[in-house]
């Protein structure tokens, strides 16, 4: 009766072997853990609960308070925006907006130190910045300008204002019609306006400051002094629409506090220069029911959140499509609009051919989904073909000059009644600003997903 | 390694996981879990059948039809486990899931038979169940 004994030994051997097999696997797994970014528990591997990996914090914490310097240009050309009040006469848009603006600067909770300056020029066409009280500036806005200031040496004024703000560490808010009014003996300045603007703002770029330009129009009562002096040297307007601009210059995050919280109701005409976001939060969304991917695509690591690396394998019959979630809430509001993003977002790729299928903003359903609530926009990308076994797919927002700039620009502003809402050589002024940042990053942001061909 | 082994074992017949966005969940979680559980449960049932019921307790369940009952019991468990694994890991179910469960059933039949052949000698009452081969006496 040896047989049962033998069997027992075999049984034990089998058990030992299976123990070894399983324990051996444990070891192998723990060795893997060092190289694998995501921890996998061996044997009974459970899908882990919402992973504890902290989301990357936004690159800059929005400051709660900023210092603001307001510069109001008070040349004769600005008088029409601020007519003297009379009974039965309504305030102009300019007056309404400006009073709101300076009162928000004076009393709002987002402004710490404030300064109010009247920008004019002296007899030698040099810019002068008069420090005044809030009440003085308010009375200029509501009751009109009494001074007689002939021109606006635009580049010099910008430079002086900027210099003062940089010294004080404040955000500059410059309000002007931005009609360049050089010394009559020096009309050649018009030719070099873009270079002069660039030189005057050079310090902004050196200090890493960003510029927001907001364009608006207001009724204009009184003498309008066009830059082009022929045939008329001045025109008398009675309520015609003339553009004025608010330039906000400062650190990117400070400028956004001013534009979003101090100015608030921004006009549709906005332009941003030098804005750049090193790391906006983004992720490839592969398991969300709202954004089902198509074709063979999956996140390279099972529990990565955010997922920035995917495996994919497009087939002829079944191209890969997946959605990338982006949190663009840090961007200026005008850049967050769907129309703007649809027009300007682009996808570039090394190692594949990729195109954008659609750009959508988060709707209420998505905002109510915990995993998706952190993303404001969703870009669906189609990858029909790979040209290499690995590479990158990047969603990028290029720095572009908004279309309204050229629409608001003119080469002859002599008759604003016939050709309203135009500023002389606005494109040239903006070109000068743009030239400042030309050598900086070409993109406002860049969200890059790495990919490998799926095995 | 163990993940690759079980992924290879199942994908041999099933192909790439569908829907593809859950490939990692299948390869890293579902396939290894299911494979290991298949191995352990089948072994346990065979041991219970031959060594507990037909040796320690002598329950008289030594006929081939009893063996087949336990084979089927194991197959049912082998069908339920993959489905539970898939749903338990919040993976979308797909006909792939049921094909996977079916393949697991086939593996359970094979494994149950192999373990029986290896272990039946140690049983007192059931050493010829389901058949005498390869034991001699």
């Amino acid at each position: 009766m040896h047989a049962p004994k033998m069997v027992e030994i075999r049984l034990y051997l089998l058990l030992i072997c299976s123990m070894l097999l399983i324990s051996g696997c444990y070891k192998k797994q723990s060795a893997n853990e060092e190289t694998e970014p995501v921890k996998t528990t061996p044997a009974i591997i459970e899908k882990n609960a919402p992973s504890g990996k902290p989301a990357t914090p936004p690159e800059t914490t929005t400051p709660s308070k900023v210092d603001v310097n307001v510069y109001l240009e008070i040349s004769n050309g600005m008088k029409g925006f601020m007519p003297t009040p009379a009974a039965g006469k309504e305030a102009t848009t300019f007056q309404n907006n400006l009073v709101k603006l300076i009162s928000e600067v004076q009393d709002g909770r987002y402004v710490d130190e404030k300064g109010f300056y009247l920008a004019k020029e002296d007899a030698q066409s040099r810019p002068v910045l008069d420090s005044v009280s809030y009440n003085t500036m308010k009375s200029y806005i509501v009751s009109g300008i009494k001074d007689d200031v002939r021109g606006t040496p635009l580049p010099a004024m910008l430079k002086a204002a900027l210099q003062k703000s940089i010294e004080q560490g404040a955000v500059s808010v410059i309000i002007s019609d931005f009609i360049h009014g050089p010394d009559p003996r020096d009309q050649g300045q018009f030719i070099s306006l873009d270079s002069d603007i660039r030189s005057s703002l050079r310090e902004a770029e050196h200090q890493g400051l960003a510029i927001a330009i907001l364009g608006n129009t207001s009724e204009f009562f009184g003498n309008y002094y066009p830059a082009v002096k022929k045939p008329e040297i001045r025109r008398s307007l009675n309520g015609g629409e003339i553009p004025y601009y608010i330039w906000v210059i400062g650190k990117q995050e400070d400028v956004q506090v001013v534009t979003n919280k101090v100015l608030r109701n921004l006009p549709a005409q906005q332009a941003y220069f030098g804005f750049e976001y090193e790391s906006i939060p983004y992720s490839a969304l592969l398991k969300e029911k709202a954004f089902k991917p198509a074709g063979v695509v999956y996140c390279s690591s099972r529990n990565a959140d955010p997922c920035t690396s995917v495996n994919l394998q497009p087939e002829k019959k079944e191209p890969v499509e997946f959605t990338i979630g982006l949190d663009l809430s840090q961007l200026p509001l005008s850049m967050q609009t769907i129309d703007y993003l649809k027009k300007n977002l682009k996808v570039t790729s090394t190692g594949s051919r990729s195109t954008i299928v659609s750009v959508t903003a988060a709707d209420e359903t998505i905002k109510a989904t915990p995993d998706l609530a952190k993303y404001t926009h969703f870009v669906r990308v189609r990858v029909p073909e790979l040209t290499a076994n690995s590479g990158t797919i990047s969603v990028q927002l290029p720095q572009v000059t908004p279309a309204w700039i050229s629409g608001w620009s003119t080469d002859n502003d002599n008759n604003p009644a016939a050709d309203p809402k135009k500023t002389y050589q606005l494109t040239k002024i903006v070109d000068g600003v743009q030239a400042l940042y030309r050598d900086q990053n070409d993109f406002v942001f860049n969200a890059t997903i790495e990919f490998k061909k799926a095995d | 390694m163990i993940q690759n082994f079980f992924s290879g074992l199942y994908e041999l017949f099933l192909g790439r996981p569908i829907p593809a966005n859950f490939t990692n969940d299948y390869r890293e979680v579902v396939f290894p879990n299911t494979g290991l559980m298949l191995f352990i449960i089948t072994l346990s049932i065979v041991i219970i059948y031959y060594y507990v019921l037909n040796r320690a307790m002598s329950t008289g369940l030594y006929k081939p039809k009893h063996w087949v009952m336990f084979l089927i019991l194991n197959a049912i468990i082998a069908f339920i486990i993959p489905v539970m694994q898939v749903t338990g890991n919040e993976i979308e179910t797909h006909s792939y899931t049921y094909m996977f469960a079916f393949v697991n059933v086939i593996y359970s039949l094979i494994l149950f038979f192999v373990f029986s052949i290896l272990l039946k000698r140690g049983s007192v009452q059931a050493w010829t169940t389901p058949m005498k081969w390869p034991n001699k006496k």
Side-chain angles (χ1 to χ4, degrees):
Chain A
M1 290 298 278
H2 286 295
K5 266 257 155 40
M6 285 289 289
V7 169
E8 246 170 279
I9 291 165
R10 270 191 215 173
L11 174 64
Y12 288 133
L13 272 175
L14 187 65
L15 276 171
I16 290 164
C17 283
S18 52
M19 287 299 217
L20 279 176
L21 175 72
I22 293 167
S23 64
C25 297
Y26 271 97
K27 227 184 244 167
K28 187 68 194 168
Q29 292 252 324
S30 55
N32 275 351
E33 274 171 23
E34 285 168 31
T35 49
E36 282 177 28
V38 173
K39 189 172 172 247
T40 51
T41 325
I44 305 299
I45 306 161
E46 280 175 46
K47 190 180 172 112
N48 70 352
S51 90
K53 196 182 166 192
T56 35
E59 66 191 80
T60 48
T61 45
T62 316
S64 55
K65 281 187 169 203
V66 294
D67 298 349
V68 175
N69 282 353
V70 179
Y71 302 91
L72 175 62
E73 195 225 315
I74 53 157
S75 69
N76 290 344
M78 295 291 287
K79 283 182 177 171
F81 288 122
M82 299 166 259
T84 37
K89 196 166 159 188
E90 275 186 35
T92 63
T93 313
F94 183 92
Q95 284 172 313
N96 284 330
N97 287 349
L98 260 284
V99 169
K100 262 186 234 157
L101 163 61
I102 64 165
S103 105
E104 194 67 48
V105 170
Q106 174 70 11
D107 300 319
R109 59 189 294 193
Y110 297 103
V111 181
D112 197 7
E113 296 286 320
K114 45 233 155 199
F116 299 95
Y117 296 90
L118 299 174
K120 45 193 179 184
E121 64 171 9
D122 62 11
Q124 281 79 42
S125 283
R126 283 186 304 231
V128 175
L129 300 174
D130 262 357
S131 177
V132 295
S133 69
Y134 164 70
N135 284 320
T136 311
M137 184 173 276
K138 194 174 73 182
S139 80
Y140 265 82
I141 294 167
V142 297
S143 349
I145 302 166
K146 308 283 186 292
D147 314 47
D148 179 27
V149 178
R150 291 292 156 111
T152 318
L154 198 48
M157 184 188 80
L158 284 173
K159 185 172 186 172
L162 186 62
Q163 200 58 47
K164 192 170 277 295
S165 294
I166 287 173
E167 279 164 21
Q168 299 176 356
V171 179
S172 314
V173 176
I174 302 166
I175 303 116
S176 166
D177 57 3
F178 280 85
I179 299 172
H180 186 35
D183 194 302
R185 292 153 290 179
D186 191 11
Q187 292 290 311
Q189 283 189 21
F190 279 118
I191 311 281
S192 59
L193 187 55
D194 49 353
S195 324
D196 293 347
I197 292 279
R198 180 184 178 171
S199 313
S200 68
L201 296 173
R202 193 183 52 215
E203 204 55 32
E205 197 263 339
H206 284 188
Q207 304 271 343
L209 305 183
I211 300 176
I213 300 178
L214 309 166
N216 209 346
T217 59
S218 171
E219 309 82 50
F220 193 94
F221 297 91
N223 283 331
Y224 173 77
Y225 299 89
V228 176
K229 305 290 185 202
K230 286 172 192 165
E232 302 289 332
I233 198 150
R234 73 168 79 103
R235 299 249 181 195
S236 185
L237 294 179
N238 192 14
E241 297 271 315
I242 298 293
Y244 70 92
Y245 303 88
I246 300 176
W247 286 34
V248 185
I249 308 177
K251 286 203 215 77
Q252 178 172 312
E253 58 272 19
D254 294 349
V255 170
Q256 280 191 280
V257 171
V258 172
T259 53
N260 297 342
K261 295 183 172 155
V262 178
L263 299 176
R264 292 173 196 220
N265 297 321
L266 302 182
Q269 296 76 31
Q270 306 168 24
Y272 297 91
F273 302 91
F275 278 67
E276 192 185 333
Y277 297 82
E278 294 282 323
S279 57
I280 56 144
Y282 69 96
S283 173
L285 304 171
L286 298 167
K287 290 185 184 171
E288 301 299 337
K289 289 199 175 63
F291 301 105
K292 268 190 194 155
V296 176
V297 54
Y298 54 94
C299 192
S300 299
S301 79
R302 187 169 56 91
N303 288 319
D305 184 28
C307 173
T308 55
S309 171
V310 299
N311 290 17
L312 47 81
Q313 169 88 278
E315 307 281 352
K316 274 241 163 57
K317 276 180 279 176
E318 203 181 19
V320 164
E321 262 187 43
F322 65 99
T323 303
I324 300 170
L326 303 162
D327 177 8
L328 304 183
S329 55
Q330 300 278 313
L331 266 62
L333 292 174
S334 71
M335 288 188 182
Q336 291 185 36
T337 61
I338 279 295
D339 288 341
Y340 182 87
L341 291 171
K342 272 186 180 160
K343 208 181 291 170
N344 295 305
L345 266 188
K346 58 179 192 175
V347 61
T348 57
S349 178
T350 57
S352 82
R353 289 179 222 289
S354 309
T355 51
I356 289 180
V357 179
S358 66
V359 182
T360 50
D363 57 23
E364 292 307 316
T365 333
I366 287 166
K367 283 178 192 156
T369 314
D371 288 345
L372 293 176
K374 53 180 178 268
Y375 302 111
T376 58
H377 293 80
F378 302 90
V379 179
R380 195 160 177 88
V381 176
R382 177 199 291 263
V383 188
E385 198 184 339
L386 296 188
T387 53
N389 285 332
S390 66
T392 57
I393 297 169
S394 302
V395 176
Q396 300 164 328
L397 184 63
Q399 306 269 11
V400 290
T401 311
W404 67 268
I405 299 272
S406 56
W408 281 41
S409 185
T410 180
D411 282 333
N412 185 350
D413 63 343
N414 195 263
N415 191 352
D419 192 14
K421 298 190 185 180
K422 297 275 165 92
T423 298
Y424 181 67
Q425 291 196 340
L426 181 63
T427 45
K428 211 161 180 183
I429 296 172
V430 171
D431 279 349
V433 177
Q434 207 158 36
L436 277 179
Y437 299 104
R438 198 177 286 144
D439 299 329
Q440 276 194 11
N441 208 328
D442 294 336
F443 302 105
V444 178
F445 72 83
N446 195 339
T448 301
I449 303 274
E450 287 171 27
F451 74 80
K452 277 194 307 239
K453 195 172 174 179
D455 49 356
Chain B
M1 188 206 80
I2 195 161
Q3 292 178 353
N4 290 344
F5 172 74
F6 283 114
S7 301
L9 197 67
Y10 289 110
E11 285 185 35
L12 184 67
F13 294 105
L14 292 164
R16 202 186 274 288
I18 303 171
N21 46 336
F22 291 101
T23 301
N24 284 326
D25 299 77
Y26 271 104
R27 288 184 181 165
E28 293 175 20
V29 182
V30 174
F31 288 152
N33 278 2
T34 308
L36 283 174
M37 282 165 81
L38 172 72
F39 189 88
I40 292 165
I41 290 170
T42 306
L43 184 62
S44 319
I45 290 180
V46 169
I47 288 171
I48 287 168
Y49 181 75
Y50 284 105
Y51 294 88
V52 179
L53 300 179
N54 285 306
R55 182 165 154 169
M57 292 168 69
S58 305
T59 50
L61 298 169
Y62 56 83
K63 290 183 179 164
K65 69 172 180 188
H66 300 129
W67 181 84
V68 171
M69 271 166 52
F70 279 86
L71 178 82
I72 291 169
L73 173 73
N74 189 45
I76 292 169
I77 295 172
F79 188 87
I80 293 169
I81 286 171
V83 176
M84 275 175 54
Q85 279 288 320
V86 168
T87 50
N89 284 292
E90 291 155 33
I91 298 171
E92 240 173 88
T93 48
H94 185 269
S95 59
Y96 185 90
T97 312
Y98 298 99
M99 283 304 296
F100 165 47
F102 180 71
V103 166
N104 201 47
V105 166
I106 304 291
Y107 281 146
S108 85
L109 299 178
I110 296 167
L111 209 56
F112 193 90
F113 182 76
V114 170
F115 283 145
S116 294
I117 297 302
L118 289 175
L119 300 179
K120 71 192 174 98
R121 291 186 125 198
S123 172
V124 176
Q125 287 94 15
W127 66 276
T128 57
T129 315
M131 71 290 201
K132 209 168 173 186
W133 181 88
N135 299 351
K136 292 177 204 120
K137 177 121 175 227

